[in-house]
Amino acid sequence: MELAYIPSPSSGVLYLGPVPLRGYAFCIIIGVFVAVWLGNKRWIARGGRAGTVADIAVWAVPFGLVGGRLYHVITDYQLYFSEGRDWVDAFKIWEGGLGIWGAIALGALGAWIGCRRRGIPLPAYADAIAPGIAIAQAIGRWGNWFNQELYGRETDLPWAVEITSSADGRMPGTYHPTFLYESLWCIGVALLVIWADRRFNLGHGRAFALYVAGYCAGRFWIEYMRVDEAHHILGLRLNNWTAVLVFLLAVLYIVLSARKRPGREAVVEPGAGDGEGPAADAKTADGKTTDGDATEKDASAEEASAEDAATDDATDTGDSGNPGKLDKPGKLDKPGKLDKSGKPEASAEPEAAEEPEESRDGAGSAKKA
């Protein structure tokens, strides 16, 4: 007798009046919003513009949904094209069935198109959204709970999931909740990527490759536990072989990329630091100044101009060297003529030397006579 288990919902559809809210689709939508929100924060932190992640997601998300559905239909074609099946069901995406491998592959194509239109390197964009994709998968896996699908072997563990449906060959009972295992694993992968990105300054697509490798490692053992129908090769499910191959490619990319292009991109979005974003107040990696340094330079230039103006004023006061003083009672030094540039013009005739006071008192009257 089971003392505890995770109950499955009696229905995967909730109705708001005449509007149906399907649990599977609802989880996918929430996951997309979380991925875009987190990706936007990481993109801005890397020096990009706000809103760029959402603009490119407009391309990536539809491509990803189509790719995920295509992978599922191709690898499980017997569910839609065998005898007694209706091929129209292949288009009913709300009933479940998205292959993550196809979703990432075709989603990357859509993201590449969006990045190319904005002049953004795809690896930098992929690094920013990698943790968000993992969290989106963690949320999306709960859609399988609504549909009572993708569970593992029978178990009596307290966290077993109860399957009540008998449709499509299901047997009611309690099973390993592989959807829950994968959800928790994806959250762990997201935290790993965030930590490693900060610790090792990952760039040029290596944060995304780490997400891929981490996910594949978990997907291998989780896939091994599943009991739903699947194609087998040499005793392993098809998705096990896919996980192994993609894991090796991701690790190889990390190694080769780190040797060829170490560090992180200095600029992820052209023109993003021109007066907006956090990059506007700091120097770029190539030594060029941004608006913050330009302001300091302008202030220094203004101070220098003020000093030059003070020097010019001192020069224009005359030869006495005491600007503002009277050389003779009631009279200021005669200002010299100004040349075209605005500076005092040198006098052609030397000024007469100032007469001593005695000659003014005595000899001055003789001169008048």
Side-chain angles (χ1 to χ4, degrees), residues 181-307:
Y181 298 161
E182 187 168 338
S183 179
L184 296 175
W185 184 270
C186 286
I187 293 176
V189 170
L191 296 176
L192 171 66
V193 173
I194 293 173
W195 171 81
D197 193 26
R198 294 176 179 175
R199 175 66 177 81
F200 302 106
N201 202 36
L202 301 178
H204 301 286
R206 289 187 288 277
F208 184 82
L210 178 60
Y211 144 72
V212 173
Y215 173 75
C216 290
R219 180 62 184 267
F220 181 85
W221 67 267
I222 294 171
E223 186 74 21
Y224 190 75
M225 296 180 66
R226 284 169 51 173
V227 295
D228 53 302
E229 185 178 356
H231 296 286
H232 287 72
I233 301 175
L234 299 178
L236 290 178
R237 295 164 66 96
L238 174 61
N239 282 332
N240 282 114
W241 290 107
T242 305
V244 171
L245 176 61
V246 176
F247 173 84
L248 294 175
L249 291 175
V251 172
L252 180 63
Y253 178 87
I254 292 174
V255 174
L256 296 179
S257 175
R259 292 178 180 177
K260 186 177 180 181
R261 306 183 72 182
R264 182 182 290 175
E265 299 90 342
V267 178
V268 297
E269 185 170 2
D274 297 342
E276 60 178 89
D281 296 328
K283 291 186 177 180
T284 58
D286 56 2
K288 295 181 180 179
T289 56
T290 56
D291 293 345
D293 293 318
T295 303
E296 295 179 4
K297 286 188 174 183
D298 291 342
S300 300
E302 290 178 3
E303 292 178 3
S305 299
E307 292 177 1

Side-chain angles (χ1 to χ4, degrees), residues 161-186:
V161 62
E162 182 189 32
I163 299 299
T164 58
S165 173
S166 57
D168 295 327
R170 297 184 182 94
M171 294 290 294
T174 55
Y175 300 85
H176 278 286
T178 51
F179 74 91
L180 175 61
Y181 298 161
E182 187 168 338
S183 179
L184 296 175
W185 184 270
C186 286

